[in-house]
């Protein structure tokens, strides 16, 4: 997938992932993936927001608001994180 597709697509969590929030961290079990995952900090905030469909610009704006950084400054990192989640089958394009 090209970076443009990643940034323009609205993404949402894979509903098949079982996630539990503990102490500002998400621990997830991917049945299809057969792996456990854990995210914390900004990654946990992004995961929380991915409960609803968002594109990269929207996610970057949410991170900027929560962490007092610029949306433009974090947009590339947000897109890279979405790429990682997508590669592991943890997010999907919202219909």
């Amino acid at each position: 997938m090209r970076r443009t597709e990643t940034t323009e697509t609205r993404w949402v969590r894979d509903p098949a992932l079982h996630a539990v929030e503990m102490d500002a961290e998400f621990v997830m079990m991917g049945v299809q993936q057969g792996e456990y995952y854990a995210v914390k900090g900004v990654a946990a905030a992004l995961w929380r927001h991915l409960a609803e469909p968002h594109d990269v610009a929207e996610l970057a704006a949410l991170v900027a608001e929560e962490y007092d950084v610029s949306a433009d400054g974090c947009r590339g990192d947000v897109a890279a994180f979405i790429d990682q989640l997508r590669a592991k089958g943890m997010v999907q394009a919202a219909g």
Side-chain angles (χ1 to χ4, degrees):
M1 182 175 277
R2 295 184 331 260
R3 177 62 61 145
T4 302
E5 292 170 356
T6 296
T7 57
E8 293 177 358
T9 301
R10 294 176 60 81
W11 299 99
V12 66
R13 298 179 198 170
D14 177 352
L17 281 173
H18 303 284
V20 176
E21 188 170 9
M22 299 182 302
D23 299 324
E25 175 179 50
F26 277 96
V27 178
M28 297 158 280
M29 170 59 181
V31 175
Q32 188 175 32
Q33 297 86 350
E35 295 181 355
Y36 284 96
Y37 305 99
V39 292
K40 60 184 175 180
V42 176
L46 286 168
W47 186 256
R48 190 177 306 107
H49 292 306
L50 286 165
E52 300 292 328
H54 291 288
D55 64 24
V56 168
E58 292 167 338
L59 291 167
L62 291 166
V63 166
E65 196 174 294
E66 287 180 53
Y67 288 90
D68 196 27
V69 297
S70 76
D72 288 338
C74 69
R75 188 173 289 123
D77 291 335
V78 171
F81 182 64
I82 294 296
D83 281 341
Q84 291 173 0
L85 294 175
R86 186 188 48 78
K88 292 188 176 290
M90 298 172 70
V91 294
Q92 57 192 26

